[in-house]
């Protein structure tokens, strides 16, 4: 019947815009034919905050609509909606009253579509749901899916991380590979039999197990070779030959987690056991080699190459290789957390190697190292494991307090070393922090007691010491996990903060300096004054506020070991989960917002060959745009909560 | 009192005539009035000889266009000749063979119209065609109040204001759409033109209401 033609035209219009583009054309025609067309003059209210919703959802056919939030201080611009955008979505699935007010900014034609039919259709489309989820929250079940909520939502990134690009073979999930390569023997097997197994099965490692199948040790190709080279006689049993040091992993580990364990422990093999420990049955074995067969390109390979790099130039090319790997992996949003951790491991390895190289150089130059422990502290984004892009680095060198006789020689030596390592990092393509928080600068290469004093001063007199420009120093992380010097420094900081609670409020007030924009509309960034810009300063307006808030919360809870921003926020959320669930939600969203903004920064920055601090809003795809706009809201909510918590005011 | 022998025989026509007595008043608020937007394609522009080939209506209530309530018909006209109008709407007389009889379409139209004000672009011509069809089939007149979007636009939009010259032509639907930045769909089909006219009407209503700074009444429109 001809009457349908109009509905078809409207469906044609809708299908260019998400989430409608994920729906079937027939369904859209059906949806449109139950709808209405409404015309609004400029400055008309379409719906009002707090009012019950009618049975429609609105789509802008033409014109522009402001989304406003009424606050005691007046109306606040939340978002702008234009052609093809949906209105009044928040709370649509729960029949909640309107969360915001919608007001036309110019003459506007709206399509009102039946709400029930709309939500039913959305429910049937995974993609549409996923898209819409970005409007409501940064719900990890949709975007970062790790555990999800068990619903049939998108599970795309729930798999073991898929690093297929450049992969040689797709052999299935890691567990089946692990099983395929497992060969076990008991401890009383003769070594000749073991060698036979290694040869006939074309493997590198035999797991030695007890009668219950629990792991005892392993015999590898390399062990045989080394022991024979050392002159061992070719007799005895597996028990005489096996290595006892074992890396184990539970069967549910994803490939990404296995990679991390291999890289962190510098192991070639991991035994997969039923409970992940050494007191349960061995069910598989994972090696770099057999994972390599699955994925081809490999961060651990880079890690190993870093550890043996002969010079800075080699390190520099390795860092380039790392970056190209990051670019490949980051295609999948779900990999970001893993990628941050992995890059952290590699960055530390690289710094470690630069230190070794510097020490070798100094040794050949005839400088003898003082017999003092020292630690290199990565600060700023490096310390927070957020240094995926070669942006500015912050670092410091701290060494154990020398004897009186040693003071000068130690200072000389470590200053020289700090200078060489700083230069090495710079040669590897890392920018240096403009605030000068660099080990080569005076004040950042100190004996422990002086460094403690330095931090004490920061905390006791934050304003005269300009702690704001050195705040990244509080996010320090040493290259090794159990570092007594770093622990001692942390204890001092904890004690001093305990005695100077005002410091937290001081830092909190500084964390409110940068605010997110309100929205991205038709390729322009709109700030709270309604001013539009083409460029989006992701670093200053999205990441920094969250980094600062995360730091304040970590310092306040005296949790100095957690340095990663999203974990700091997540932890603060967990601490409040029972006492103040609303705030916990705000902080949880903030953690997700950080990941969204970080993802946008890294993926845009790496592709554009910049540090991603500023990106062009018009380059964003619809999903990222929607996620960012929601992230901006989450950041603003977080800052508002910070302001009220510390009795501060948020500049508006 | 209407004498029984003066009543039309057709039940729909009788009901139509009945409800005309309760038609909306001139001071009724537009938002409370049901409007019917209508467009007809005809075999030509001669009111006496030419016939309707297709017809479409849409309903506006609460000053919202209801997409769910749209009707369109192709009308079978046995004796309609081939005229220049065919070049406009592209409906060949032979094609109307798939259509319904004029009487059936008019019988269906009667309850839809009821006493609602009828909106159209150059609605006077369409109204004449319908009036003649009503007389032919039911012996009644087409009595609904008319709202002409061309007239409204000349009154409301400076761009089309009367110049006082006799040779001024009222704006076409295209003129209005490009001025109001409304995208046209399916031009010169009854359904498409009805939809476009409805959007023009709603736009004009909003403008008039804004100028008047009070609720829009029927008298402001006709």
């Amino acid at each position: 019947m001809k009457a349908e033609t109009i509905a078809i035209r409207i469906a044609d219009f809708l299908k260019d815009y998400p989430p409608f583009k994920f729906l079937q054309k027939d369904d859209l025609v059906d949806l449109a034919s139950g709808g209405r067309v409404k015309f609004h003059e400029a400055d008309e209210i379409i719906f009002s905050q707090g009012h019950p919703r009618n049975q429609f959802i609105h789509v802008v056919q033409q014109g522009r609509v402001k989304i406003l939030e009424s606050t005691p201080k007046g109306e606040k611009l939340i978002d702008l909606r234009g052609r093809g955008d949906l209105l009044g979505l928040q709370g649509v699935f729960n029949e909640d009253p309107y969360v915001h007010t919608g007001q036309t900014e110019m003459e506007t034609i709206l399509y009102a579509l039946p709400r029930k039919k709309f939500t039913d259709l959305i429910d049937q489309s995974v993609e549409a749901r996923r898209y819409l989820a970005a409007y409501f929250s940064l719900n990890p079940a949709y975007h970062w899916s790790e555990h999800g909520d068990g619903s049939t939502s998108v599970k795309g990134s729930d798999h073991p991380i898929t690093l297929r690009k450049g992969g040689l073979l797709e052999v299935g999930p890691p567990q089946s590979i692990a099983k395929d390569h497992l060969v076990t023997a008991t401890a009383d097997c003769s070594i000749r039999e073991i060698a036979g197994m290694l040869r006939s099965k074309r493997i590198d490692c035999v797991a030695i197990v007890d009668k219950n199948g629990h792991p005892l040790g392993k015999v590898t190709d390399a062990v045989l070779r080394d022991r024979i080279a050392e002159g061992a006689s070719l007799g005895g049993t597996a028990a005489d030959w096996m290595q006892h040091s074992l890396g184990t992993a539970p069967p549910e580990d994803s490939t990404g987690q296995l990679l991390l364990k291999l890289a962190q422990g510098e192991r070639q093999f991991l035994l997969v056991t039923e409970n992940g420990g050494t007191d349960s049955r061995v069910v598989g074995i994972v090696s770099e080699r057999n994972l390599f067969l699955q994925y081809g390109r490999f961060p651990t390979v880079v890690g190993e190459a870093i550890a043996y790099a002969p010079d800075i130039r080699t390190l520099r090319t390795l860092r380039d290789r790392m970056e190209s790997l990051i670019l490949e992996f980051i295609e999948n949003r779900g990999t970001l957390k893993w990628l941050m951790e992995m890059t952290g491991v590699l960055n530390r390895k690289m710094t470690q190697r630069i230190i070794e190289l510097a020490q070798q150089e100094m040794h050949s130059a005839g400088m003898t190292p003082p017999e003092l422990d020292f630690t290199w502290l990565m600060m700023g984004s490096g310390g927070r494991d957020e240094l995926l892009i070669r942006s500015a680095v912050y670092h410091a060198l701290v060494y154990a307090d020398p004897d009186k006789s040693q003071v000068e020689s130690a200072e000389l030596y470590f200053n020289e070393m700090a200078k060489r390592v700083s230069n090495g990092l710079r040669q590897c393509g890392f920018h240096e922090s403009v605030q000068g928080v660099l080990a080569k600068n005076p004040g950042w290469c100190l004996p422990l007691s002086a460094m403690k004093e330095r931090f004490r001063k920061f905390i006791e007199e934050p304003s005269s010491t300009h702690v704001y420009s050195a705040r990244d120093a509080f996010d320090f992380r040493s290259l090794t996990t159990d570092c007594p010097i770093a622990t001692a420094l942390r204890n001092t900081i904890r004690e001093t903060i305990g005695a100077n609670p005002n410091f937290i409020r001081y830092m909190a007030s500084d964390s409110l300096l940068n605010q997110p924009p309100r929205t991205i509309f038709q390729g322009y960034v709109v700030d709270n004054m309604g001013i539009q810009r083409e460029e989006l300063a992701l670093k200053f307006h999205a990441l920094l506020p969250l980094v600062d808030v995360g730091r304040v919360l970590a310092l306040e809870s005296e949790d100095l070991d957690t340095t990663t921003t999203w974990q700091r926020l997540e932890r603060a959320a967990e601490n409040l989960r029972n006492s103040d669930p609303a705030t916990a939600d705000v902080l949880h969203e903030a953690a997700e917002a950080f990941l969204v903004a970080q993802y946008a920064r890294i993926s845009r920055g790496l592709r554009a060959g910049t540090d991603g601090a500023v990106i062009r809003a018009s380059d964003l795809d619809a999903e990222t745009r929607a996620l960012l706009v929601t992230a901006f809201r989450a950041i603003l909510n977080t800052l508002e909560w910070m302001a009220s918590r510390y009795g501060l005011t948020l500049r508006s | 009192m209407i004498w029984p022998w003066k009543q039309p025989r057709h039940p729909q026509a009788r009901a139509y005539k009945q409800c005309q007595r309760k038609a909306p008043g001139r001071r009724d608020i537009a938002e409370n009035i049901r409007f019917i937007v209508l467009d007809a394609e005809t075999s030509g522009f001669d009111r006496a000889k030419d016939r309707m080939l297709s017809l479409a209506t849409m309903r506006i209530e609460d000053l919202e266009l209801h997409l769910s309530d749209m009707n369109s018909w192709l009308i079978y006209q046995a004796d309609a000749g081939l005229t220049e109008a065919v070049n406009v709407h592209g409906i060949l007389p032979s094609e109307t063979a798939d259509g319904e009889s004029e009487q059936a379409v008019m019988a269906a139209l009667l309850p839809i119209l009821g006493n609602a004000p009828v909106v159209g672009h150059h609605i006077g011509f369409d109204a004449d065609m319908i009036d003649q069809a009503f007389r032919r089939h039911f012996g009644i007149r087409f009595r609904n109040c008319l709202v002409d979007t061309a007239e409204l636009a000349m009154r409301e939009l400076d761009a089309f204001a009367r110049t006082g010259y006799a040779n001024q032509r009222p704006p076409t639907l295209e003129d209005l759409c490009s001025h109001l930045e409304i995208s046209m769909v399916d031009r010169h089909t009854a359904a498409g033109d009805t939809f476009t006219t409805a959007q023009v009407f709603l736009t004009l209503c909003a403008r008039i209401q804004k100028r008047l700074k009070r609720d829009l009444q029927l008298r402001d429109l006709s």
Side-chain angles (χ1 to χ4, degrees):
Chain A
M1 181 76 191
K2 265 225 156 171
E4 280 221 318
T5 55
I6 299 305
I8 292 170
R9 297 299 146 181
I10 292 170
D12 277 341
F13 167 81
L14 293 176
K15 79 168 169 24
D16 287 339
Y17 301 95
F20 301 106
K21 71 173 179 194
F22 307 120
L23 304 179
Q24 298 295 320
K25 179 78 185 284
D26 290 351
D27 290 337
L28 285 180
V29 173
D30 194 32
L31 183 67
S33 60
R36 298 181 184 181
V37 181
K38 195 155 191 207
F39 186 88
H40 289 277
E41 259 300 327
D43 302 321
E44 268 186 62
I45 304 281
I46 301 165
F47 50 85
S48 302
Q49 184 172 332
H51 286 212
R53 52 180 71 240
N54 59 22
Q55 77 259 40
F56 295 103
I57 55 124
H58 297 100
V59 183
V60 180
Q61 199 272 331
Q62 194 184 310
R64 188 145 60 160
V65 177
K66 289 184 286 193
I67 304 296
L68 303 167
E69 185 177 4
S70 314
T71 63
K73 280 184 275 173
E75 280 183 336
K76 204 170 73 179
L77 178 68
I78 299 278
D79 202 353
L80 281 175
R81 301 281 157 83
R83 196 173 164 83
D85 285 341
L86 279 155
L87 304 175
L89 268 182
Q90 285 219 0
V92 75
F93 290 97
N94 307 334
E95 309 262 325
D96 290 344
Y98 286 111
V99 180
H100 299 122
T101 296
Q103 185 179 22
T104 56
E105 201 183 65
M106 54 204 278
E107 288 186 347
T108 301
I109 296 177
L110 295 179
Y111 289 149
L113 304 172
R115 181 157 57 92
K116 178 75 174 66
K117 198 174 270 178
F118 171 77
T119 50
D120 287 353
L121 285 177
I122 295 294
D123 255 355
Q124 290 161 22
S125 160
V126 171
E127 284 161 305
R129 275 214 313 263
R130 181 173 125 114
Y131 175 81
L132 273 195
Y135 263 98
F136 302 129
S137 88
L138 305 165
N139 184 349
Y142 291 103
H143 301 287
W144 304 99
S145 55
E146 268 200 333
H147 304 295
D149 53 5
S151 69
T152 54
S153 63
V154 195
K155 295 278 184 173
S157 39
D158 221 10
H159 299 275
I161 293 157
T162 47
L163 315 176
R164 272 175 222 160
K165 262 214 164 165
L168 301 174
L169 297 159
E170 181 66 37
V171 203
Q175 285 72 24
S176 68
I177 302 177
K179 216 172 289 161
D180 291 347
H181 291 79
L182 176 67
V183 175
T184 55
T186 48
D188 52 4
C189 249
S190 79
I191 197 65
R192 185 178 288 274
E193 282 175 83
I194 302 276
M197 288 179 192
L198 287 169
R199 187 172 70 169
S200 64
K201 304 267 164 92
R202 292 174 167 273
I203 50 168
D204 303 323
C205 179
V206 173
I208 309 301
V209 296
D210 65 13
K211 60 182 191 310
N212 297 321
H214 296 186
L216 293 171
K218 62 178 191 278
V219 178
T220 65
D221 262 0
V223 168
L224 290 179
R225 184 191 64 212
D226 292 351
R227 293 281 297 274
I228 291 167
E230 286 160 12
S233 61
L234 289 175
T237 60
D240 308 325
W241 289 70
M242 70 183 178
Q243 287 175 309
H244 295 278
S245 95
L246 288 176
T248 53
E252 54 286 355
D253 264 4
S254 72
T255 313
Q257 285 162 321
L258 294 171
L259 285 179
L260 267 174
K261 283 183 183 165
L262 284 168
Q264 267 167 345
E266 295 193 2
R267 297 182 186 281
Q268 266 92 49
F269 302 95
L270 283 176
L271 293 182
V272 180
T273 60
E274 273 173 347
N275 69 0
T278 50
D279 56 346
S280 65
R281 236 162 49 79
V282 181
V283 293
I285 190 165
V286 174
S287 72
E288 274 186 81
R289 204 189 111 199
N290 56 32
L291 280 181
F292 183 78
L293 282 178
Q294 186 178 16
Y295 294 124
R297 304 195 65 182
F298 234 52
T300 45
V301 178
V302 180
E304 212 175 304
I306 287 173
Y308 296 105
D311 50 31
I312 298 282
R313 254 186 54 200
T314 315
L315 282 176
R316 191 194 173 116
T317 52
L318 284 170
R319 176 66 223 205
D320 286 344
R321 196 166 142 197
M322 232 163 101
E323 209 161 84
S324 68
L325 280 178
I326 295 174
L327 245 180
E328 276 184 23
F329 299 163
I330 206 161
E331 280 198 359
N332 183 346
R333 267 178 203 283
T335 60
L336 183 62
K337 287 179 191 168
W338 172 81
L339 208 50
M340 290 200 293
E341 218 175 321
M342 186 51 127
T343 319
V345 169
L346 294 181
N347 279 337
R348 283 194 287 282
K349 266 189 199 255
M350 175 164 280
T351 312
Q352 182 61 47
R353 184 60 190 159
I354 294 174
I355 292 170
E356 287 164 14
L357 289 172
Q359 282 179 311
Q360 283 169 19
E361 275 172 26
M362 288 166 72
H363 182 74
S364 34
M367 298 177 77
T368 43
E371 292 202 356
L372 290 171
D373 280 340
F374 70 92
T375 186
W376 186 269
L377 297 180
M378 298 181 74
M379 296 168 158
S381 56
R384 295 189 300 265
D385 264 5
E386 287 156 12
L387 190 63
L388 278 84
I389 209 159
R390 275 181 275 194
S391 54
V393 290
Y394 299 71
H395 42 71
L397 199 162
V398 189
Y399 50 94
D401 287 317
D403 293 338
K404 273 212 177 95
S405 59
Q406 273 186 304
V407 171
E408 271 179 38
S409 63
E411 194 181 318
L412 209 66
Y413 182 87
F414 285 116
N415 274 338
E416 178 61 26
M417 185 171 118
K419 196 178 293 171
R420 285 172 189 249
V421 176
S422 301
N423 289 343
L425 282 167
R426 201 189 55 237
Q427 284 167 37
C428 284
F430 293 102
H431 303 293
E432 299 193 326
S433 74
V434 283
Q435 294 91 339
V437 183
L438 299 163
K440 69 175 183 184
N441 290 341
W444 294 110
C445 174
L446 295 171
L448 179 57
S449 57
M451 191 60 90
K452 280 180 174 173
E453 190 51 35
R454 179 136 212 213
F455 274 92
R456 198 176 291 135
K457 271 262 153 38
F458 277 136
I459 297 166
E460 284 169 354
E461 299 161 28
S463 87
S464 67
T465 50
H466 303 294
V467 72
Y468 185 70
S469 61
R471 66 199 194 283
D472 278 288
F474 284 86
D475 307 329
F476 62 81
R477 186 192 283 248
S478 56
L479 298 182
T480 51
T481 36
D482 298 314
C483 167
I485 293 178
T487 310
L489 194 55
R490 280 191 197 105
N491 288 340
T492 303
I493 293 174
R494 244 176 240 132
E495 285 160 20
T496 321
I497 289 178
N500 297 273
N502 270 339
F503 174 70
I504 297 296
R505 189 169 181 271
Y506 184 90
M507 293 287 268
S509 117
D510 281 350
S511 73
L512 304 181
L513 287 177
N514 295 303
Q515 282 186 34
R518 286 302 175 269
T519 188
I520 304 169
F521 180 73
Q522 292 178 346
Y524 289 93
V525 180
V526 184
D527 69 10
N528 53 338
M529 314 297 288
I531 296 167
Q532 304 192 358
R533 286 188 183 78
E534 277 181 49
E535 284 174 336
L536 171 60
L538 263 184
K539 182 179 167 186
F540 280 96
H541 293 138
L543 291 167
L544 274 190
L546 291 172
V547 168
D548 288 345
V549 167
R551 182 185 306 114
V552 172
L553 295 174
L555 288 175
E556 194 190 5
S557 64
E558 302 188 346
D559 178 6
L560 302 181
D561 301 314
T562 310
T563 54
T564 310
T565 301
W566 72 267
Q567 282 177 338
R568 282 173 162 175
L569 294 166
E570 213 55 282
R571 202 145 297 179
E574 283 324 304
N575 291 341
L576 290 168
R577 183 57 66 197
N578 292 323
S579 59
D580 184 357
T583 302
D585 285 343
V586 169
L587 293 175
H588 173 69
E589 287 278 286
E592 297 299 334
F594 178 84
L595 294 170
V596 166
Q598 174 82 341
Y599 178 82
R601 175 181 181 186
I602 305 302
S603 56
R604 300 286 135 182
L606 285 179
R607 264 171 223 145
T610 66
D611 69 355
V614 177
I615 61 173
R616 286 182 67 83
S618 50
D619 293 346
L620 295 167
D621 58 279
E623 189 184 359
T624 308
R625 188 198 88 113
L627 282 169
L628 276 175
V629 171
T630 312
F632 295 158
R633 265 199 306 271
I635 297 167
L636 199 64
N637 290 341
T638 311
L639 294 182
E640 278 167 355
W641 171 76
M642 280 296 276
S644 72
R645 175 180 171 90
Y646 295 102
L648 302 160
T649 42
L650 190 61
R651 169 177 61 85
S652 64
Chain B
M1 176 75 193
I2 298 175
W3 301 110
W5 56 88
K6 288 209 169 173
Q7 288 282 0
R9 282 198 196 150
H10 197 283
Q12 308 285 28
R14 212 157 43 227
Y16 172 78
K17 224 175 153 180
Q18 282 282 328
C19 74
Q20 286 301 327
R21 292 192 284 176
K22 302 185 297 260
R26 290 178 51 73
R27 284 183 186 274
D28 281 5
I29 307 292
E31 216 162 352
N32 303 331
I33 299 175
R34 183 176 66 99
F35 291 91
I36 294 296
V37 188
L38 178 149
D39 184 72
E41 304 295 330
T42 59
S43 61
F45 304 112
D46 185 326
R47 289 164 203 242
K49 280 195 294 188
D50 285 310
R51 295 289 161 93
M52 284 184 281
L53 300 180
S54 70
L55 185 70
T57 65
M58 288 183 92
R59 178 166 59 98
I60 288 178
E61 221 166 324
D62 306 324
L63 286 183
E64 286 178 17
L65 181 61
H66 290 240
L67 294 168
S68 54
D69 200 2
M70 152 147 221
N71 298 284
S72 86
W73 299 273
L74 208 54
I75 304 168
Y76 171 63
Q77 300 286 8
D79 47 1
L82 194 67
T83 64
E84 74 275 23
V86 172
N87 295 327
V88 177
H89 50 64
I91 306 173
L92 291 166
S94 56
E95 281 178 89
T96 69
D98 298 337
E100 298 167 63
S101 76
E102 190 179 74
Q103 184 177 16
V105 172
M106 290 301 117
L109 182 64
L110 282 166
I112 291 170
L113 291 179
N115 57 16
V118 174
V119 181
H121 199 72
H122 299 312
I123 188 67
F125 178 74
D126 302 70
D128 280 351
M129 300 301 278
I130 293 170
D131 184 51
Q132 289 182 26
F134 277 5
R135 287 209 247 181
R136 261 198 304 280
H137 300 294
F138 312 120
I140 57 169
R141 305 292 306 264
F142 174 61
R143 292 179 175 282
N144 295 54
C145 158
L146 300 179
V147 178
D148 187 347
T149 45
E151 287 279 330
L152 268 188
M154 287 167 78
R155 252 175 38 203
E156 196 54 34
L157 303 174
D158 288 340
F160 306 111
R162 287 188 198 284
T163 56
Y165 289 99
N167 62 350
Q168 187 191 8
R169 304 181 68 125
T172 63
L173 199 52
E174 279 94 341
D175 292 339
L176 286 183
C177 284
S178 63
H179 182 75
L180 297 172
E181 292 176 17
I182 291 169
S183 44
M184 302 192 76
V185 297
D186 289 345
R187 179 68 175 127
H188 295 304
T189 66
D193 283 357
T194 304
F195 182 60
T196 310
T197 306
Q199 289 190 65
V200 167
F201 174 68
L202 289 174
T203 310
L204 291 171
C205 283
R207 294 230 176 153
I208 297 169
Q209 181 153 342
K210 193 183 183 195
R211 177 171 57 78
L212 294 175
K213 296 192 179 68
R214 61 164 167 78
D215 280 339
L216 196 64
Q217 299 171 1
L218 186 55
R219 65 181 169 131
D220 303 321
L221 299 171
S222 60

